[in-house]
Amino acid sequence: MKGTKELLTWKEIIPGNVILNPGNAREYRTGDWRSQRPVWDFERCIMCGMCYAFCPDAAIFEREDGYYEADYYYCKGCGICAEECPKKAISMVEE
Amino acid sequence: MGKRRGLEVSVGAAEAVAMADVDVIAAYPITPQTHIVEHLAELVNNGELDAEFVPVESEHSALSVCIGASAAGARTFTCTSAQGLALMNEIVYIASSMRLPIVMILANRSLSAPLSIWNDHSDAMSVRDTGWIQVFAQNGQEVFDHIFFAYRVGEDPKVSLPVMIHVDGFIVTHVIEPVEFWEKEQVERYLPPFKPISRLDPERPVTMGAFAMPQLFTETKVAQDMATTQSMEVILSAWEEIYKITSRRYRPVEAYRTEGAETIFVVQGSFGETLSVAVDELRAKGEPVGLVMPRLWRPFPFELFRSAVKGAKNLIVIDRAISFGGQGGPLAIELRSSLFGLPAPPRVINFICGLASRDVTVEDFKNIYERAVDGSKAPVFQEDFQFYGVRS
Amino acid sequence: MKTKKPTPYNQLSKEEFFLSGHRACQGCAEALAVRLVQKAAGRDTIVACATGCMEIVSSPFPFTSWNLPWIHVAFENTAAVASGVEAGLKALMRKGKLPQRDIKVIAMAGDGGTSDIGLQALSGALERGHNLTYVCYDNEAYMNTGIQRSSATPFGASTTTSPAGKKVPGQITWKKNMPEIAVAHQIPYVATACPSYPIDLIQKVQKAISKPGPAYIHILSVCPTGWRIPSNLAIKVGRLAVRTGIFPLYEVEDGIYRITQKTSKLLPVKEYLTIQGRFRHLTEELISQIQERVNQEYELLLKKVAMTQGEKKEE
């Protein structure tokens, strides 16, 4: 999380160190931690959404066509989605 | 002005809190603070005060409840003493760092051990550096007036800090005194509704109490220190407004008969009233003596203090707490440091007395004066301080 | 072209309140539990959070992972802070200083912040009857400070302050039964949950927040780092905790017990224990001791269910 916010001056700090922008930690690229990446086999996928429900990082999103996919900006590569997929439609691939 | 009523100071304090339209009160019983919250509980249960009274299971939780309520936008009150303050200490620091304008009365009492329910300033001094605005109130009227003062100053958006009112336990809290009440309209005019800078609100979600890494921690602390120092302006105007309403003048440093004084007593809290009698009697005998009382303890009014004691040769500082292994009492240490580097600073002679409500009479103060100014009678001072009235 | 069949998972609300970008470890089931709890509670919620993993991973000033009003004060006082938020809102709305609105107050803490250092404040809040939901995210040790044992650490687990040694085989005390302590306060709702059963968890949160008065939810939150398991197994291990009877999923609604994930036959605890590094040192003898204890506690739970359900029928 590099940027000027890390270097706020004391005058820029809101009283009580309150943070006014909800969820602004979204800037932080947790995807950098990843050594493996989940890849979907849409032939097998039944769009059940289990991968979405079990993702600790809310890094799996539903596409417009109803299939699910990882947002690699955030995906830490834990492999839960691949482990839990009832159709074994997700495989973990080395980065 | 409102009616003059004779009542117990604790009851008067509670009545003022109620008149300030407090929303949440959280407290845990400890002597000698109890009468204040008992009366508030009574007002709530009789339907005379519309507030949530949260009878918590500890002082730690008392202040934590106040933090939660204040963060939600409520006007809050708590009070405690000694061990209760020590137990809530962790949260005392956090309340000021989170800039929440909670008001607390500290009914000053000795810290254990040995256990003592009686009055001194060891609890007050233990929270000197916690970041609260702190004032000493000497009598029932001062306590009453300072409840409104505390909310007005603390809640000012330029300040946004908690305020602690120090009141001597028993010596002040439990006595019956005449207190002049304010009219409801006067309170309303003096004290606008609480409008917090930030508030926990699902419409506009904020994060409060984030942790800071070293590259930001110092900046957060400087911001807090600047707010504390700069609160002086708001404090002065809040007292000015009290003067306009009540004709009672409060100053950061109160001075009594200091004109031409070669020796000046310095004291905080209710000892000031006894000391003023001693000063009168000494003056009647032609002794050039005066009295200075720093009412405002944080932010400390350094300049005003220096000018209040200007020209004096001796300062007799009465401490009611000990800095074990240090250079006397905390008040003397602070004052000595504030005078260091002046061209001709007065000598600071420090007496520690009145621990755990041990009586210090007018005669005692005259005796202290004699010892301090007459070198031949002065016993050996270690690091310029000594305990007064101790059996050896 | 496939057609999408609705499942409980793909029908979940898409709204997120604990957002991506948080710094929880890979495969952290506690982070998942927080995500699901807040999804269940929805937008009109204020969260009071104790010091601990979830606080640290979500609030490095000036950044936040919270898309909700959120407050952290200290470690042991979350229940008191949440009590204050609740009391404050109640007073302000009653006095007309804030518009009337149904705002849910949720307190969250780990097992240390709940069953050790925060127990007193929690007991006070439950006893006083504040309208709030307290969620304990139990990962069975002080993970944030480096995997030290807590009173929620299970018998036999190796932690940094209960290491498996030559003489002492790790933790030698039995896990404190926090849900039963909450039940003893006779509050309207107590439940256990686990993110391995997300729908069960969500239903319990919704029940808890909709009931007036205090509610307590104890969530077993698998910690791959502290339990020494691969990050992809966090959900599976949670499921095994439930299916072995080590962590049964149940609720106590107005004093009536109900098991929400019924298992016809419990799996042997060995299946749960042997896949975790923290139990790797356990001997057959110790494992059978644990099995015996789990059997006893599960029996007791079944008796409570039978007893209180019986009362319900009589009414």
Side-chain angles (χ1 to χ4, degrees), chain B residues 253-267:
Chain B
V253 179
E254 302 287 357
Y256 181 71
R257 301 190 78 171
T258 51
E259 62 290 346
E262 286 180 19
T263 299
I264 293 177
F265 277 100
V266 188
V267 77

Side-chain angles (χ1 to χ4, degrees), chain B residues 378-391:
Chain B
V380 179
F381 281 81
Q382 281 199 343
E383 301 291 343
D384 271 356
F385 83 93
Q386 70 161 208
F387 292 94
Y388 177 81
V390 181
R391 291 180 299 278

Side-chain angles (χ1 to χ4, degrees), chain B residues 20-24 49-52 54-58 60-62 64-75 87 90-91 94 98 100 199-213 216 220, chain C residues 43-47 55-57 59-64 66-77 80-92 94-95 97-98 101 103 120-121 124-125 127-128 130:
Chain B
D21 191 27
V22 68
D23 300 308
V24 174
L49 168 61
D50 189 359
E52 286 295 304
V54 188
V56 284
E57 82 300 330
S58 73
H60 195 281
S61 284
S64 301
V65 164
C66 288
I67 285 188
S70 186
R75 185 170 281 167
L87 182 62
E90 179 196 25
I91 311 304
I94 298 176
M98 293 182 82
L100 298 168
R199 187 167 70 76
L200 295 169
D201 176 11
E203 294 279 338
R204 294 168 61 198
V206 295
T207 288
M208 293 181 170
F211 78 92
M213 292 296 279
L216 270 165
T220 70
Chain C
R43 183 160 291 284
D44 279 351
T45 304
I46 295 175
V47 180
E55 172 252 335
I56 290 295
V57 303
S59 71
F61 183 71
F63 297 97
T64 176
W66 291 92
N67 188 19
L68 285 173
W70 181 90
I71 181 170
H72 157 252
V73 179
F75 196 179
E76 68 283 58
N77 65 347
V81 173
S83 301
V85 172
E86 186 259 4
L89 292 176
K90 197 168 162 188
L92 292 169
R94 188 177 61 226
K95 293 167 89 170
K97 295 182 182 181
L98 279 183
R101 185 166 166 190
I103 297 174
Q120 173 179 320
E127 170 272 322
R128 291 189 302 268
H130 296 276

Side-chain angles (χ1 to χ4, degrees), chain C residues 253-264:
Chain C
E253 199 174 346
D254 300 317
I256 294 160
Y257 285 72
R258 191 172 75 85
I259 292 177
T260 59
Q261 281 296 322
K262 293 201 177 81
T263 325
S264 49

Side-chain angles (χ1 to χ4, degrees), chain C residues 2-145:
Chain C
K2 281 187 232 177
T3 51
K4 188 163 188 159
K5 289 192 191 120
T7 70
Y9 308 104
N10 64 24
Q11 296 304 299
L12 286 178
S13 150
K14 294 284 176 286
E15 245 183 325
E16 300 286 349
F17 300 101
F18 182 63
L19 302 185
S20 307
H22 67 69
R23 299 166 190 217
C25 303
Q26 290 160 313
C28 173
E30 184 172 355
L32 171 60
V34 174
R35 177 183 166 227
L36 294 172
V37 166
Q38 301 310 155
K39 242 185 207 302
R43 183 160 291 284
D44 279 351
T45 304
I46 295 175
V47 180
C49 178
T51 308
C53 284
M54 290 302 104
E55 172 252 335
I56 290 295
V57 303
S58 69
S59 71
F61 183 71
F63 297 97
T64 176
S65 297
W66 291 92
N67 188 19
L68 285 173
W70 181 90
I71 181 170
H72 157 252
V73 179
F75 196 179
E76 68 283 58
N77 65 347
T78 318
V81 173
S83 301
V85 172
E86 186 259 4
L89 292 176
K90 197 168 162 188
L92 292 169
M93 288 180 191
R94 188 177 61 226
K95 293 167 89 170
K97 295 182 182 181
L98 279 183
Q100 285 288 344
R101 185 166 166 190
D102 188 16
I103 297 174
K104 310 298 182 190
V105 178
I106 292 186
M108 59 182 280
D111 48 298
T114 302
S115 57
D116 289 342
I117 200 166
L119 185 56
Q120 173 179 320
L122 171 60
S123 176
L126 298 184
E127 170 272 322
R128 291 189 302 268
H130 296 276
N131 186 19
L132 55 82
T133 296
Y134 187 102
V135 185
C136 171
Y137 294 96
D138 178 8
N139 55 22
E140 302 195 320
Y142 291 88
M143 299 311 183
N144 189 40
T145 43

